[in-house]
Amino acid sequence: MAELAEADRTMVTASCKSRWLAAVQLGLISSSFSTIVSQLAAARIGRDAGVDWMTVAAVPARDWMIGMEPSWGAILAGIAFHQWADLSWAVVFFGLLGRWTAYLTPIQILLAALPWAVLSSAMEWFVLVPLFPFFQPLFTLQQPYWIGLLVHASSAIMYPLFAWLWWPASDVPARDARFARGYATAAVIAIIGLSAAALASAAGHELPWAGGDLDTDQLYIRHMTTHHAQGIEVARLGAERARDPHLRALARLMVASQAGENRIFERWWQSWFETSMPDCTDEERSRMPGFLTALQLREVRDASSDAFDGVFVRLMTLHHKGAVKMADQEWRGRGDLRLRIMAHAIRHEQQGEIALMQGASGAPAVANAFRNMFADNVN
């Protein structure tokens, strides 16, 4: 009897070790799939992947990782941090919770994985990043929650492959093996499809415009591109002259994010409308909400070193409020869904940057970010 008990303990220990090893392998697969999907699909919904990776890198590496253009070092650091986080969630799901999750069928795992993506992304966005242990409000205030949810969902969607990694091939039920093979094939096809879309975009061919209000969409793209161009001009001054190091870093991020968004606007315009984007007239500029006058631009350029930070925050806040108003109108309109999704992210981002310029952190920053997902709260 003692020998049988010892044999049982040995088998349980071996099974536990193999389960944890399979959890790590699954984490590597799911996080890599998520990274590839995020990189290839970001621009399809108006996101600059390089800027997003740089923002993720700023969670552990703080302000020094932020530049006016995402460096390769920042991008790779962001990808590495993202993959570490995604791998960790897979290990929690199949390792710590393995006594309940490891024996599920692939279909049952898929049904459980999507709610898990909601939970894990919410934990990061509401708690782990802005509060304990990283205390970095930038990520939560700059990126709306749904971006993290999409990234976590693209990782968790690979969880059904776990049984393939844990059980010996001879022990996997035939039905589960067929499902896993088909699922893996579908994942490869999805990556090929996203790669083709990314290559087509690089060649100037996006999916056609598909909104319900062409004039409004064209007006919004032209106005926001011009508005961003002025924002970049002022933010460059902040990146060079601000005395507060956090404000300098935030100004660098403003340059990077708005420049990336303008590149997407220009690419979409060329692909959708097959013509050059007309410049905004002086009258249009004067009527744009938050567009700074020549006198206000001179004020920020000529501000003394001691006064610069205050002048920059005041005028950039005014400028951001205008962008928020424009983006909110587009989000609530009948335009192309891609443009509306991008507008929602811009509305969140610019309200968040206003809060960051005012020193928001901790629980108030999380509450601010949560409100910003649902409305224009600055006008």
Side-chain angles (χ1 to χ4, degrees), residues 11 31 34 84 94 230 243 247 301 308-309 323:
M11 291 179 61
S31 62
S34 175
W84 169 80
F94 289 111
Q230 187 184 71
R243 301 184 70 176
L247 187 58
R301 289 193 192 105
F308 179 85
D309 285 14

Side-chain angles (χ1 to χ4, degrees), residues 146-229:
W146 56 261
I147 294 177
L149 174 59
L150 290 176
V151 172
H152 278 248
S154 67
S155 176
I157 205 170
M158 299 305 292
Y159 282 15
L161 298 179
F162 177 77
W164 244 12
L165 301 172
W166 184 24
W167 295 107
S170 59
D171 293 340
V172 179
R175 184 180 60 182
D176 292 350
R178 287 194 302 270
F179 180 91
R181 282 195 296 270
Y183 204 80
T185 302
V188 172
I189 292 172
I191 290 176
I192 293 172
L194 289 172
S195 299
L199 288 173
S201 175
H205 302 292
E206 293 281 353
L207 290 175
W209 178 84
D213 191 340
L214 178 62
D215 291 341
T216 297
D217 274 9
Q218 289 185 332
L219 192 69
Y220 171 74
I221 293 175
R222 290 175 56 245
H223 283 194
M224 189 60 86
T225 299
T226 300
H227 203 276
H228 272 10

Side-chain angles (χ1 to χ4, degrees), residues 6 36 41 129 144-145 155 160 200 205 242 259 290 306-307 315 328 339 342 355:
E6 181 62 28
I36 295 169
V129 172
Y145 165 69
S155 176
H205 302 292
D306 290 341
L315 293 181
D328 184 65
L339 200 58
M342 185 180 182

Side-chain angles (χ1 to χ4, degrees), residues 67-132:
M68 287 190 281
E69 281 288 339
S71 67
W72 278 109
I75 291 171
L76 292 175
I79 290 173
F81 185 71
H82 155 71
Q83 295 216 180
W84 169 80
D86 268 14
L87 186 150
S88 299
W89 286 116
V91 169
V92 170
F93 189 83
F94 289 111
L96 290 179
L97 305 178
R99 60 185 300 181
W100 298 284
T101 59
Y103 297 93
L104 298 174
T105 67
I107 293 178
Q108 289 172 329
I109 291 175
L110 178 60
L111 293 175
L114 295 179
W116 177 256
V118 174
L119 174 63
S120 57
S121 57
M123 281 293 295
E124 286 185 359
W125 198 84
F126 284 98
V127 181
L128 299 178
V129 172
L131 304 177
F132 183 81

Side-chain angles (χ1 to χ4, degrees), residues 227 230 233-234 237 241 285-286 288-303 308 310-320:
H227 203 276
Q230 187 184 71
E233 178 186 355
V234 177
L237 293 173
R241 296 193 55 201
R285 294 167 193 260
S286 67
M288 281 184 209
F291 197 83
L292 303 183
T293 65
L295 185 61
Q296 289 170 321
L297 287 175
R298 191 177 308 117
E299 181 184 3
V300 71
R301 289 193 192 105
D302 296 344
F308 179 85
V311 173
F312 176 83
V313 169
R314 174 168 53 84
L315 293 181
M316 189 56 87
T317 297
L318 175 64
H319 195 271
H320 272 27

